[in-house]
Amino acid sequence: MKKILAITAMAAFAAVSFAEGITFGAWMRVLAAPVANNGDETITAASNSWGGAPRAARLNVTAVAPDGNAGFNYGIFSSEKGDNSISFDGPDEANLWVKPIDMVKVSYGNFDNNTLRGDVCYGSWNWMRPNAWIAGDEGLLMSGFGDTGLMVEVTPMENLYVQAVVPIIDANVKAGQTYKNLRGGFAYTVPGLVKVKGQYIGNGAASEDAFYTLNDEKISDADMAAALADALADDTNDADSDGTVSAAEAEAALEAAGYGISPKTDGNSNCALEAEIDILAVEGLYAGVGFRYDVVKDAKDNDPTHQKMKVALGASYQVMPELKVSASGAFFTYYNNDAMKPRFQAGVGVDYDLGDGLAANADFRYMSPEKDKDGKKDNTDRMAFSVGVTKNVSSNGYIGVAFQGVTNSGSLGGVAGVPNDKGENKNFVWAIPVALSVWF
């Protein structure tokens, strides 16, 4: 009996010790609109702020060894489907890490790492987000990392942080391809004055498949399909008994018609360069500027609407304890100015504490059109606004209601705008979402 009691006591002690290193947490926000209008009819809709199926439940698990030198992160969430069923998706994070020495942390897995990300979030970002911006509030000034790989984080001195990621995945990938997607960045803070960040993001994607050419010029998939059909219409091409043609026969037919095929090659060594400067010298003021330049080989010919440069600004100021104002803007250029002219976005918002757990907020956003046609707008510009009130519930949640709208048949979270009866994108879309948010 004593032996059984001793074993039980040891097991209980081990369980308690183990549990001390594991914590559970969650953060959720669901927006359900009892009434909305998609520009055509009155509807109901539900989503998250970031779109997609509502997440009514989730669980984040974090484990840290007693000495703080090893651990893991894992998160899973539910998705409420349109047929009233529930599925579990994710995770946002699934990684493990060790610290061989105090200043170095090595991790592997799937990440939602925002240490270097530069955000300017306010207003409708916390409600049903409209498609009235080109770049969202999260990562407006600098990108975070949300993918799979081997990550090394180093803090060699106080106020200096360095990050490097090698995107190694569960597949046999050529080393050259993997390292074309290498990324690394840093952040250095001068306390009370300024924070400087920089980042390199490799965008050399997987190998480029072979493609057909005519007179050494690449032809489109549609032209290639038409050429193949014409070539196979020749009675000299033998078809199988079921009427199909082998790949070898198809290639031979195209070659006979004057078409060639390129070899399979590695992707380009493309990349993006990012920088951010945040001003910390004024109490109550956050102000930052971000810059991004995409280096894309042959973008003008192969991807004419690819972004070339982004300059973004963001600021928020606590005018008084109850009142905060925010503003942001960004300017974008593209590789082919004929296909996509420069564009910009701008926004302003206000938050006001009403007391007793009540708070009000409002914002306005504008996105310029994709391009001008003889000086006339083509209805791809949009204006959006939100006006909302929230009420804290307990210390771990809130409930809120807002009125939101967006022009030119835009969308609001789960409310997808539709064109008018003439097929023109001129409709006004609106929603009255009820927000429920909890965190533990």
Side-chain angles (χ1 to χ4, degrees), residues 142 145 174 211 221 236 267 277 292 310-311 376 384:
M142 180 175 281
F145 177 67
K174 288 183 180 180
F211 55 84
D221 292 341
T236 60
I277 299 176
R292 176 180 173 119
K310 176 185 75 175
V311 179
K376 297 180 180 179

Side-chain angles (χ1 to χ4, degrees), residues 206-425:
S207 293
E208 181 177 309
D209 291 334
F211 55 84
Y212 285 99
T213 62
L214 180 62
N215 299 325
D216 296 325
E217 295 291 333
K218 182 177 180 179
I219 64 173
S220 68
D221 292 341
D223 288 342
M224 189 273 288
L228 179 60
D230 291 341
L232 295 178
D234 191 331
D235 292 336
T236 60
N237 295 306
D238 296 327
D240 296 335
S241 58
D242 61 356
T244 63
V245 178
S246 69
E249 290 171 332
E251 185 173 330
L254 283 168
E255 288 180 356
Y259 289 86
I261 186 168
S262 74
K264 189 173 183 178
T265 60
D266 285 341
N268 296 324
S269 297
N270 302 329
C271 68
L273 306 174
E274 292 188 322
E276 180 184 344
I277 299 176
D278 298 333
I279 305 300
L280 311 175
V282 180
E283 184 177 357
L285 172 68
Y286 165 78
V289 56
F291 175 81
R292 176 180 173 119
Y293 188 87
D294 282 39
V295 180
V296 182
K297 190 176 181 180
D298 299 327
K300 187 171 182 179
D301 296 324
N302 298 330
D303 188 5
T305 61
H306 196 291
Q307 180 183 303
K308 184 176 184 180
M309 183 183 69
K310 176 185 75 175
V311 179
L313 303 169
S316 63
Y317 182 58
Q318 197 73 41
V319 180
M320 58 182 70
E322 301 84 8
L323 177 64
K324 182 176 78 170
V325 294
S326 304
S328 62
F331 178 77
F332 307 82
T333 64
Y334 300 87
Y335 269 92
N336 190 331
N337 193 48
D338 293 330
M340 183 71 75
K341 294 185 180 297
R343 304 179 69 188
F344 71 91
Q345 66 181 59
V348 61
V350 59
D351 292 87
Y352 193 83
D353 186 350
L354 300 170
D356 295 327
L358 282 170
N361 56 77
D363 80 326
F364 174 81
R365 309 290 184 121
Y366 176 75
M367 177 180 70
S368 70
E370 286 186 359
K371 56 185 177 181
D372 292 331
K373 294 180 179 179
D374 299 325
K376 297 180 180 179
K377 294 180 179 179
D378 60 0
N379 296 110
T380 55
D381 62 323
R382 290 197 178 93
M383 292 183 288
F385 68 88
S386 71
V387 179
V389 177
T390 60
K391 166 64 176 174
N392 290 339
V393 178
S394 184
S395 60
N396 297 84
Y398 71 73
I399 184 171
V401 63
F403 180 72
Q404 297 183 255
V406 59
T407 63
N408 287 342
S409 304
S411 64
L412 290 167
V415 182
V418 299
N420 60 24
D421 55 8
K422 295 181 180 180
E424 299 170 328
N425 292 314

Side-chain angles (χ1 to χ4, degrees), residues 72-73 91-97 106-113 145-152 165-170:
F72 73 84
N73 302 291
D92 281 344
E93 279 205 295
N95 55 72
L96 76 164
W97 56 270
V106 183
S107 313
Y108 181 81
N110 182 262
F111 295 92
D112 185 18
N113 186 295
F145 177 67
D147 213 331
T148 300
L150 178 68
M151 177 182 292
V152 179
V165 182
V166 184
I168 303 170
I169 60 174
D170 182 23

Side-chain angles (χ1 to χ4, degrees), residues 47-60:
S47 68
N48 309 289
S49 290
W50 48 93
R55 298 179 186 177
R58 68 178 296 158
L59 181 66
N60 294 88

Side-chain angles (χ1 to χ4, degrees), residues 14-201:
V16 171
S17 299
F18 181 69
E20 286 179 351
I22 296 181
T23 59
F24 300 88
W27 175 85
M28 293 157 280
R29 180 193 298 137
V30 171
L31 293 143
V35 61
N37 191 287
N38 61 12
D40 179 45
E41 57 187 353
T42 301
I43 61 171
T44 62
S47 68
N48 309 289
S49 290
W50 48 93
R55 298 179 186 177
R58 68 178 296 158
L59 181 66
N60 294 88
V61 184
T62 301
V64 180
D67 62 2
N69 291 326
F72 73 84
N73 302 291
Y74 182 75
I76 191 170
F77 51 84
S78 71
S79 291
E80 318 297 321
K81 300 301 184 182
D83 58 1
N84 294 322
S85 65
I86 297 176
S87 67
F88 285 88
D89 300 313
D92 281 344
E93 279 205 295
N95 55 72
L96 76 164
W97 56 270
V98 296
K99 296 181 71 174
I101 59 177
D102 188 55
M103 69 174 64
V104 177
K105 180 178 179 181
V106 183
S107 313
Y108 181 81
N110 182 262
F111 295 92
D112 185 18
N113 186 295
N114 302 316
T115 309
L116 293 175
R117 196 175 75 184
D119 301 340
V120 188
C121 302
Y122 60 91
S124 53
W125 190 257
N126 299 319
W127 295 98
M128 285 186 162
R129 296 175 187 170
N131 59 343
W133 46 60
I134 302 165
D137 290 4
E138 290 181 352
L140 178 65
L141 303 185
M142 180 175 281
S143 304
F145 177 67
D147 213 331
T148 300
L150 178 68
M151 177 182 292
V152 179
E153 299 169 276
V154 184
T155 51
M157 57 184 289
E158 189 176 5
N159 299 318
L160 176 61
Y161 169 85
V162 180
Q163 179 188 99
V165 182
V166 184
I168 303 170
I169 60 174
D170 182 23
N172 291 329
V173 180
K174 288 183 180 180
Q177 290 178 226
T178 297
Y179 286 100
K180 285 177 181 178
N181 289 281
L182 184 74
R183 62 188 292 154
F186 75 93
Y188 181 70
T189 302
V190 179
L193 185 60
V194 68
K195 184 174 186 178
V196 180
K197 298 189 289 184
Q199 187 167 212
Y200 168 89
I201 304 172

